[in-house]
Structures are given as structure tokens and as C-alpha cells.
Amino acid sequence: MTESPENPNPNNPVPGSPRSEASSRSSSSSPRAFGASRRNILFGAAAGAAFLSAGCTSNKSNDDKDAEAGQANVADDKPGKQVTIGFAGPQADHGWLNAINEQAKKRAKQYKDVTLEATEGSNDNAQQVGQIETLINKKVDVLVILPADGKALTQVGLKAMRAGIPVVNLDRVFASQQAYRCWIGGDNYGMGLNAGRYIGEKLKDKKNAKVVELAGIDNLELTRERTKGFDDALKNYPGIDKVARQAAEFTVESGQSKMAQLLRAEPKFDALWNHDDDQGVGAERAIKQAGRDDFLMVGGAGSRRVMETIKADDSVIKATVLYPPTMAASAIDLARALGQGKGVGGLAEFEIPASITLYSAVVTKSNVDEYLPTGFK
């Protein structure tokens, strides 16, 4: 999947997220349930990363003169108050999930004033609860949690907050806004929307254009959000029809078998949107086995392999829609700012936002070099 777990934005899915996230995402809630909406701050993948990096790590002066002038006290690169951040992430059994863990650890090492206490990572709810309780007992300053199941782990989030430990809830949202201080995650609806817009623009001048969709796990809200965004985008292109859809399971094997079914059922179509780049490995195998190259393919989540394929421009894959794992690095920035009692640069407010929804940028040959460093393995 690309990406990631239940997305808090109800109108939005993981990248697409991985199969390991599959069972857990289905029970994650959306921040909109608590009054948040698509009015939440939206960032472009690059702009968002730059905003948070510059925001939480800007070189802007934070001396007393700034405070007297009424300017927000923001975090910067200079070492400040020592902060111990507890990180409870997922089991790294999927490319996107592994990238989440790597991004968090790499970011923490950039700060001399940050100590990271990371758990082994688990997709078992009870085990992850135990890991987080251990971090609470260690009295870490801030917690960053990507829950295996947002709903199931809500109580331990509440426990941390009641203990005075602010929680940065990463991607799969808890069932209560009281269980976290800040949520940051991807935009599943936006993934589908931007995939549909890209395909629509490519095919808008073609008569009776046909598209097919290789979705993720259908009982997951994130999958339904991605499909809804895709369908909504296509409504703006009346000459394009979605003629088939197959739901896979965010695995290479399912991607291959379900793509083979699509190819047999539809001997002629013009574009394919695949929800997940890891799942897409299997889809590409099926396409090559069938000897097909008469359509364009758009991936989902943003794996490095797919970006390199896009750059080479020697296959049906022409684009991928991001579900950026860089959100984990940004979560560390936010946790550091919280631990130091500081805000985010670029904003007038003294506090960090309550909710940050990342933008699902479309990576094509024209901009792939910019995004390659963020591609996950």
C-alpha cells in the first residue's frame, strides 16, 4: 500500500499502505470525526516537507527581542533543551512501513538535543500497547505513535496524554482527539483525486477512453477513499469511462493475480491506476507476461523503484501519486518542537497545529529528480 493506515481525513487513504497496515487501518478514525475537515492545513509533498523542515528547523532567531515583538518562539537547528522522544512504529514488513521507521530514526540523529527511544515495531495491538506503556514508564518527553490500529490503541494514547506526555499521532488516527496533541498523515482521497486528474488530462482528447483500477483491500476505509477520489476526478472528464476495477491485497502476489484478471477481462484500455507501488511489482509482472504496452500506468505511494522506472521512461509506468513516508521525519520535528515548548516557523501562531494533512503530489518524468530522494525501497 504505500503507504499507510487509516487517514484521518474522511474525504481522502499508503501510502496507500502496506498489507501490514491492512488489518489495522480499517478501524482507524478520521480527524474529521472530531471537527477537523479538509480545511486542515494542506501541504504539497515538497512544500510540506520544506515547511516542516524550515518550520521546525528554521534558522530564524528566537531571542528575547523576537518574543517582545510578539513573534512566535520557533524551533531551529541550534541545539536547545534536551528532548527524549519515544517512537512506537509499525512492523517493517512492507516498503512504505520500513521507510516510516527509517525516516524517524534518521531525522532524530540530525538533532544533538534529541534522544530517540524506539520500540521494535509491531502489528500486534497488545504488544504495541505494552511497548508504549514502557515508554510512558520511562517518562519520555514526547511520544510519536503510528498505531497498528488507531481505535484499539486509543486508550494508551489517552494514558500518555493524562501522564503529561504529548503525543504526535502519525497517520493512523486514534478514535479520540484527546489521545493526541497533533496528528500528521497522508491524504488518501487526494491520492485518488490526483491520480484521476493526471489520467484525465492525458486522455481528455481521446474519444471513448477507457481506464481500469487496481485497488487495495476493499474493506479498508483508505481504499474506499482512494477509489472515491479517483471516481470524483473522472467525473470532470465525461469522455473517459472506468470500465473495470479489481481489489488486490497490497501484496506482490495479489497484484499479479488481480492484474492478470483485469488484462483478460479488458483486452483494450488506455490507462491503469494501481493504488500501491509494492503491489504494483506483481501488476507489472502480469503486464509483461501478457505482452501489453498499449496503456499508461499510474502507481501509488512513491517507491524508489517506480520513480527510477518513471525516469528511465521505458515502461508503461508514467507516474506515481505520493503518500509520503517523510511524514515520520516531520513527526520527529513536531515532537522536538513540542518537547521544547516551541512552535513552527512560517506560522504566526505560538503553538504547532493540531492537524497536518500532507499533499499527494504526482511524480512524473518532469519532476522525478526532485522526489527521488524521498522514494522508499
Side-chain angles (χ1 to χ4, degrees), residues 63-347:
D63 58 21
D64 292 337
K65 292 182 180 179
D66 286 341
E68 291 173 4
Q71 296 180 16
N73 182 26
V74 301
D76 56 28
D77 287 334
K78 299 175 183 178
K81 174 186 174 183
Q82 289 294 317
V83 178
T84 299
I85 300 173
F87 176 74
Q91 182 177 331
D93 60 355
H94 180 279
W96 188 88
L97 289 175
N98 183 61
I100 283 287
N101 292 335
E102 289 183 348
Q103 286 279 345
K105 293 173 182 177
K106 183 178 178 181
R107 193 62 150 204
K109 288 180 180 178
Q110 294 181 11
Y111 295 118
K112 294 181 179 179
D113 52 15
V114 169
T115 299
L116 189 70
E117 291 276 353
T119 67
E120 287 298 318
S122 176
N123 294 319
D124 178 85
N125 293 331
Q127 184 176 21
Q128 194 176 26
V129 167
Q131 292 172 341
I132 295 170
E133 288 180 335
T134 296
L135 292 172
I136 293 173
N137 292 335
K138 286 184 176 181
K139 294 182 169 54
V140 296
D141 298 305
V142 189
L143 275 168
V144 174
I145 304 173
L146 196 163
D149 183 312
K151 183 177 180 181
L153 269 73
T154 297
Q155 288 303 314
V156 77
L158 288 167
K159 182 175 182 178
M161 292 288 286
R162 289 166 181 160
I165 302 174
V167 173
V168 177
N169 183 191
L170 182 56
D171 207 42
R172 304 172 196 170
V173 70
F174 291 125
S176 169
Q177 195 169 357
Q178 298 182 65
Y180 60 90
R181 164 60 182 81
C182 176
W183 175 87
I184 179 170
D187 183 355
N188 288 300
Y189 178 86
M191 279 186 74
L193 192 70
N194 289 341
R197 286 172 174 168
Y198 175 82
I199 290 174
E201 288 300 306
K202 289 295 182 181
L203 302 181
K204 65 182 180 182
D205 296 325
K206 184 178 180 62
K207 292 183 178 179
N208 302 316
K210 299 178 180 179
V211 302
V212 298
E213 179 182 7
L214 184 64
I217 300 174
D218 255 348
N219 66 353
L220 299 181
E221 179 63 22
L222 71 88
T223 297
R224 295 191 291 270
E225 289 176 353
R226 291 180 185 183
T227 290
K228 186 177 188 306
F230 188 61
D231 291 345
D232 284 352
L234 292 181
K235 290 176 183 177
N236 296 312
Y237 302 92
I240 302 174
D241 291 324
K242 187 171 79 172
V243 296
R245 179 184 185 276
Q246 281 282 352
E249 299 174 0
F250 292 131
T251 66
V252 172
E253 297 75 18
S254 67
Q256 184 170 355
S257 63
K258 296 299 184 180
M259 189 68 233
Q261 291 179 31
L262 276 175
L263 292 168
R264 288 193 295 269
E266 299 297 331
K268 178 65 177 176
F269 57 87
D270 302 290
L272 158 71
W273 181 45
N274 163 55
H275 285 206
D276 176 67
D277 284 343
D278 280 0
Q279 174 178 281
V281 173
E284 292 168 61
R285 289 177 185 171
I287 292 167
K288 289 179 181 178
Q289 289 173 358
R292 297 281 296 273
D293 61 0
D294 54 330
F295 58 88
L296 68 89
M297 176 178 172
V298 176
S303 75
R304 187 174 184 85
R305 178 192 64 81
V306 167
M307 290 189 193
E308 290 173 343
T309 301
I310 291 169
K311 184 172 182 177
D313 196 20
D314 58 1
S315 84
V316 297
I317 304 176
K318 302 303 179 185
T320 186
V321 187
L322 297 186
Y323 198 86
T326 51
M327 65 178 72
S330 296
I332 296 298
D333 289 343
L334 293 166
R336 175 175 178 260
L338 279 170
Q340 294 180 343
K342 296 182 178 180
V344 174
L347 294 181

Side-chain angles (χ1 to χ4, degrees), residues 328-371:
S330 296
I332 296 298
D333 289 343
L334 293 166
R336 175 175 178 260
L338 279 170
Q340 294 180 343
K342 296 182 178 180
V344 174
L347 294 181
E349 288 73 24
F350 289 91
E351 301 288 345
I352 69 169
S355 181
I356 300 173
T357 303
L358 301 179
Y359 183 72
S360 294
V362 179
V363 178
T364 65
K365 187 178 180 181
S366 66
N367 63 4
V368 66
D369 286 333
E370 178 182 357
Y371 289 103

Side-chain angles (χ1 to χ4, degrees), residues 49-65:
F51 173 84
L52 286 168
S53 286
C56 288
T57 65
S58 76
N59 292 316
K60 183 176 179 180
S61 173
N62 295 317
D63 58 21
D64 292 337
K65 292 182 180 179

